[in-house]
Coordinates of all heavy atoms in Angstrom, one line a residue:
Chain A
K3 N 21.3 -15.4 -18.2 CA 21.7 -16.7 -17.6 C 21.9 -16.5 -16.1 O 21.7 -17.4 -15.3 CB 23.0 -17.3 -18.2 CG 22.7 -17.9 -19.5 CD 23.9 -18.8 -19.9 CE 23.8 -19.2 -21.3 NZ 24.2 -18.2 -22.3
E4 N 22.3 -15.3 -15.7 CA 22.5 -14.9 -14.3 C 21.3 -15.3 -13.5 O 21.4 -15.6 -12.3 CB 22.7 -13.4 -14.2 CG 24.0 -12.9 -14.6 CD 25.1 -13.4 -13.6 OE1 24.9 -13.0 -12.5 OE2 26.0 -14.0 -14.0
H81 N 9.1 -14.4 4.9 CA 10.5 -14.1 4.6 C 11.4 -15.4 4.6 O 12.5 -15.3 4.2 CB 11.1 -13.1 5.5 CG 11.3 -13.5 7.0 ND1 10.3 -13.5 7.9 CD2 12.4 -14.0 7.6 CE1 10.7 -13.9 9.0 NE2 12.0 -14.2 8.9
N125 N 18.7 -4.4 -16.3 CA 19.0 -4.5 -17.7 C 18.0 -5.5 -18.3 O 17.6 -5.3 -19.5 CB 20.4 -5.1 -17.8 CG 21.4 -4.0 -18.0 OD1 21.1 -2.9 -18.5 ND2 22.6 -4.2 -17.5
K136 N 13.1 7.7 -8.3 CA 12.2 7.1 -7.3 C 11.0 6.5 -8.0 O 10.6 7.0 -9.1 CB 11.7 8.3 -6.4 CG 12.8 8.8 -5.4 CD 12.9 7.9 -4.2 CE 14.0 8.3 -3.2 NZ 13.7 9.5 -2.4
L161 N 7.8 -17.8 -8.7 CA 7.5 -16.4 -8.8 C 5.9 -16.2 -8.8 O 5.3 -16.9 -9.7 CB 8.1 -15.8 -10.0 CG 7.9 -14.3 -10.2 CD1 8.8 -13.5 -9.2 CD2 8.2 -13.8 -11.6
L163 N 2.6 -13.9 -9.4 CA 2.2 -12.7 -10.1 C 0.8 -12.4 -9.8 O -0.1 -13.2 -10.2 CB 2.5 -12.8 -11.6 CG 3.9 -13.1 -12.0 CD1 4.0 -14.2 -13.0 CD2 4.5 -11.9 -12.6
T226 N -6.9 -27.0 -24.8 CA -7.9 -28.0 -24.3 C -9.1 -27.4 -23.6 O -10.2 -27.8 -23.8 CB -7.1 -29.0 -23.3 OG1 -5.8 -29.2 -23.8 CG2 -7.9 -30.2 -23.1
K266 N -32.4 -32.1 -33.8 CA -31.5 -33.1 -33.2 C -30.1 -32.6 -33.2 O -29.6 -32.2 -34.3 CB -31.6 -34.3 -34.2 CG -30.8 -35.5 -33.6 CD -30.9 -36.7 -34.6 CE -29.9 -37.7 -34.3 NZ -29.7 -38.6 -35.4
P270 N -20.0 -35.8 -30.2 CA -19.2 -37.1 -30.1 C -19.2 -37.6 -28.6 O -19.1 -36.8 -27.7 CB -17.8 -36.7 -30.5 CG -18.0 -35.5 -31.3 CD -19.2 -34.8 -30.7
K289 N -17.2 -21.3 -34.5 CA -17.2 -22.6 -35.2 C -18.5 -22.8 -36.1 O -18.6 -23.8 -36.8 CB -17.1 -23.8 -34.1 CG -15.9 -23.7 -33.3 CD -14.7 -24.5 -33.9 CE -13.4 -24.2 -33.4 NZ -13.2 -24.3 -32.0
I333 N -28.7 -17.2 -30.4 CA -27.4 -17.9 -30.8 C -26.5 -16.9 -31.3 O -26.9 -16.0 -32.1 CB -27.7 -19.0 -31.8 CG1 -28.7 -20.0 -31.4 CG2 -26.4 -19.7 -32.3 CD1 -28.2 -20.9 -30.2
F362 N -19.5 -29.7 -27.7 CA -19.0 -30.3 -26.4 C -20.2 -30.5 -25.5 O -21.1 -29.7 -25.5 CB -17.9 -29.5 -25.8 CG -18.2 -28.0 -25.8 CD1 -18.9 -27.4 -24.8 CD2 -17.6 -27.1 -26.8 CE1 -19.2 -26.1 -24.7 CE2 -17.9 -25.8 -26.7 CZ -18.7 -25.2 -25.7
L367 N -25.8 -28.1 -15.9 CA -26.8 -27.4 -16.8 C -26.7 -25.9 -16.4 O -26.4 -25.6 -15.2 CB -28.2 -27.9 -16.5 CG -28.4 -29.4 -16.8 CD1 -29.7 -29.9 -16.3 CD2 -28.3 -29.6 -18.3

Side-chain angles (χ1 to χ4, degrees):
Chain A
K3 281 196 194 75
E4 285 290 302
H81 69 275
N125 268 330
K136 286 280 175 75
L161 185 75
L163 301 131
T226 319
K266 186 184 167 196
K289 299 272 164 55
I333 302 291
F362 47 81
L367 297 171

